[in-house]
Amino acid sequence: MRLACVQLGVEGGAVAKNVAAALDAVRDAAAAGADLVVLPELFDVGYFAFDAYQRAAESLAGDRLGRFAAVAAEAGVNVLAGTVVEDLAASAADGIAVPADDGLANTAVLFDRDGERRLVYRKRHLFGYGSEETDRMVPGDRVPVTEIEGVCVGVTTCYDLRFPEQFRQMVDAGVECVLVPSAWPYPRVEHWRTLGRARAIENLSYVAAVNGSGAFDGDALCGRTTVYDPWGTTMASAGEAPATVTAEVDPAEVATVREEFPALRDRR
């Protein structure tokens, strides 16, 4: 599976502009041969644009995500639109299962080549250190996985990288590649590099840590989108500027590594 990780330049609060840029990036990646395109955390509104969350929120069945479902079908590519601000009450009204009757969620949606919704992941670990996310968002309650292009994939989001038990849940469910849309800021660059690699090493799985690029009111994202193989080796990476990072994900490689180095079987 050819993976394209879009390190999008995100402008705080500029939802229409950000969405248009993301749609163009999906089309470009599909034209270049991608099987799965992954977008960063809150690419629609910008992570640090806290006051814009409420006005940007929509149902998962709303027009904005409908445009990503449409471009997935038109371009014949799988797309992780992820994440966006979800209005939980609006989603519930549209018949979508939600963790709470009201509030907002930081939600990733995976669409397949037909534009069908295949996975919904709502960020479980909300960030409160110098952030308003914990005050404005409702945490998710599920860690789903699904098969795309013959690869079992799961999704976590940004701060989730610090909680290895969540990755173990996905491994137990068969995950081979974990997608991590993020809005990871300076100055914690070494944390970003270390945690993504560690999750790949300890779970013997691919990890695609997909960050955004840009600044908002003094906070700047560090970029450095990186794909790690099941040994924790960097396959492809970016600097801090907008870029698209590509890598080949092979489930046979996961099986080979786990057979050769059976650490997962030695858990107690």
Side-chain angles (χ1 to χ4, degrees), residues 147-180:
E147 186 175 299
I148 292 289
E149 305 296 319
V151 181
C152 183
V153 302
V155 179
T156 67
T157 303
C158 201
Y159 190 44
D160 289 330
L161 275 172
R162 295 183 181 272
F163 300 89
E165 59 274 14
Q166 180 162 329
F167 288 73
R168 286 299 206 212
Q169 284 183 261
M170 290 186 290
V171 166
D172 289 340
V175 83
E176 295 161 321
C177 178
V178 183
L179 311 173
V180 193

Side-chain angles (χ1 to χ4, degrees), residues 21-32:
L23 289 166
D24 285 343
V26 170
R27 294 185 186 99
D28 290 345

Side-chain angles (χ1 to χ4, degrees), residues 7-208:
Q7 185 168 291
L8 196 69
V10 181
E11 185 175 327
V15 175
K17 182 177 179 179
N18 292 334
V19 168
L23 289 166
D24 285 343
V26 170
R27 294 185 186 99
D28 290 345
D35 297 305
L36 170 59
V37 184
V38 184
L39 298 168
E41 180 182 19
L42 297 182
F43 71 88
D44 57 345
V45 67
Y47 181 85
F48 293 102
F50 303 117
D51 291 341
Y53 281 11
Q54 186 65 58
R55 68 174 173 79
E58 287 189 356
S59 165
L60 296 194
D63 292 340
R64 189 178 309 144
L65 282 175
R67 295 174 69 186
F68 286 92
V71 79
E74 291 164 6
V77 68
N78 304 284
V79 178
L80 181 68
T83 62
V84 298
V85 183
E86 178 189 7
D87 182 329
L88 294 173
S91 286
D94 286 327
I96 298 169
V98 295
D101 294 334
D102 198 8
L104 308 177
N106 188 342
T107 306
V109 183
L110 178 58
F111 296 103
D112 65 18
R113 292 182 186 270
D114 295 321
E116 297 296 323
R117 195 186 304 131
R118 291 288 297 276
L119 178 150
V120 173
Y121 172 70
R122 298 177 178 94
K123 188 176 181 181
R124 293 181 72 196
H125 299 96
L126 303 179
F127 193 56
Y129 178 77
S131 165
E132 298 178 25
E133 185 179 18
T134 52
D135 298 326
R136 296 178 182 268
M137 298 286 200
V138 175
D141 58 2
R142 297 177 60 246
V143 186
V145 301
T146 191
E147 186 175 299
I148 292 289
E149 305 296 319
V151 181
C152 183
V153 302
V155 179
T156 67
T157 303
C158 201
Y159 190 44
D160 289 330
L161 275 172
R162 295 183 181 272
F163 300 89
E165 59 274 14
Q166 180 162 329
F167 288 73
R168 286 299 206 212
Q169 284 183 261
M170 290 186 290
V171 166
D172 289 340
V175 83
E176 295 161 321
C177 178
V178 183
L179 311 173
V180 193
S182 302
W184 201 280
Y186 285 103
R188 295 179 291 277
V189 176
E190 292 307 316
H191 296 200
W192 171 252
R193 289 174 170 146
T194 301
L195 292 168
R197 175 174 283 114
R199 300 294 84 84
I201 291 170
E202 67 196 7
N203 295 298
L204 303 172
S205 69
Y206 291 94
V207 170

